[in-house]
Structure formats: C-alpha cells, structure tokens
C-alpha cells in the first residue's frame, strides 16, 4: 500500500514560538500561512506541520500523490482506492472520502492506541 508523503501534524499552542523552536533544529518553511495559524516545515526528508487551534491531537498524515517536497507524483494510488482497500481489511473509518468523487479527498482512521491518521489527497 503506497500512502504517499508522510508528515507529523503537530497541534501547537503558539505557532510563532513553535516555528522559532523548529528553526533552531534546522527546519525551514516548506509551505503554509502563519497568518492562518499553520505552517509546513522541513529538515532534509523530515516534514512536520504546525497547526495552532485546528485540532486536539497530533496526527500522522499521509498525502497520496505527493513526494516529501509536496511535488506531484506521476503515478499514485487514489485516496478512494486506499479507503476501499482498508475498509475491505476491516479498518474502521472515522471520516470517509466520497467514493463517487475524484481529485482531492481525505479520510481519517485511528490506530489501536487512538492515534489519529489522516490520508489527505490534494489533487
């Protein structure tokens, strides 16, 4: 199963303080908008998202169709196909992508310990 680019989406108390901290660890901005309280930061192949006031828990995030630089891949498995495969394996969906749609879509599941996993396709 190819889930796409991986990142950890972190819920932060103060995005400016968090940005400064992660810059000290060698991360630099890859994308986002600090005025909207979200940033994507990268250090080599490690990608993290900083999100202030958007969700309660940290989330493991996969982006089908993207590489680690948020660049489009020529070939990838559509989020709806991934969802069908996981449902067939008995994985419980917390949210679901519209299986009749195409293009952007997402679904959310949890691992056995309650850690949220978001599969979020942007194209």
């Amino acid at each position: 199963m190819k889930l796409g680019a991986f990142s950890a989406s972190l819920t932060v108390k103060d995005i400016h303080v968090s940005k400064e901290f992660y810059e000290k660890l060698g991360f630099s901005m890859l994308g986002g908008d600090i005025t909207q309280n979200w940033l994507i930061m990268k250090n080599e192949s490690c990608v993290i998202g900083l999100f202030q006031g958007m969700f309660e828990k940290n989330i493991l995030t996969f982006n089908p169709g993207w590489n680690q630089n948020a660049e489009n891949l020529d070939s990838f498995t559509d989020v709806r196909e991934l969802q069908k495969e996981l449902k067939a394996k008995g994985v419980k969906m917390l949210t679901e992508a519209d299986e009749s749609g195409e293009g952007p879509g997402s679904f959310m599941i949890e691992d056995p310990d309650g850690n949220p996993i978001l599969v979020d396709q942007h194209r």
Side-chain angles (χ1 to χ4, degrees), residues 14-24 27 29 34 39 41 50:
D14 184 322
I15 196 156
H16 297 279
V17 171
S18 294
K19 175 183 179 283
E20 183 178 317
F21 174 80
Y22 283 101
E23 286 175 337
K24 290 176 184 174
F27 283 82
M29 283 185 46
I34 200 163
L39 293 174
M41 301 190 74
L50 306 177

Side-chain angles (χ1 to χ4, degrees), residues 50-67:
L50 306 177
F51 298 89
Q52 180 180 327
M54 295 188 180
F55 45 84
E56 292 181 27
K57 289 181 168 183
N58 296 332
I59 301 173
L60 304 175
T61 303
F62 296 93
N63 300 110
W66 276 2
N67 67 20

Side-chain angles (χ1 to χ4, degrees), residues 1 11 28 30 32 38-39 51 60 70 79-80 104 111-112 114-115 119:
M1 178 174 287
T11 182
S28 58
L30 178 65
W38 70 282
L39 293 174
F51 298 89
L60 304 175
V79 69
R80 284 154 284 275
D111 74 9
N115 297 304
V119 179

Side-chain angles (χ1 to χ4, degrees), residues 4 17 20 31 35 49 51 53 68 74 84 89 93 101 111 123:
V17 171
E20 183 178 317
T35 65
F51 298 89
Q68 286 301 107
D74 292 334
K84 286 179 191 175
K89 292 178 179 180
M93 297 284 137
D111 74 9
R123 62 186 196 110

Side-chain angles (χ1 to χ4, degrees), residues 2 16 23-24 26 41-42 45-46 48 50 65-67 74 77 88 94-95 99 101 108 110-112 117:
K2 294 184 179 183
H16 297 279
E23 286 175 337
K24 290 176 184 174
M41 301 190 74
K42 185 172 183 189
S45 64
C46 299
I48 58 172
L50 306 177
W66 276 2
N67 67 20
D74 292 334
T77 305
L94 297 179
T95 64
E99 291 185 5
M108 186 171 280
E110 278 183 336
D111 74 9
I117 300 171

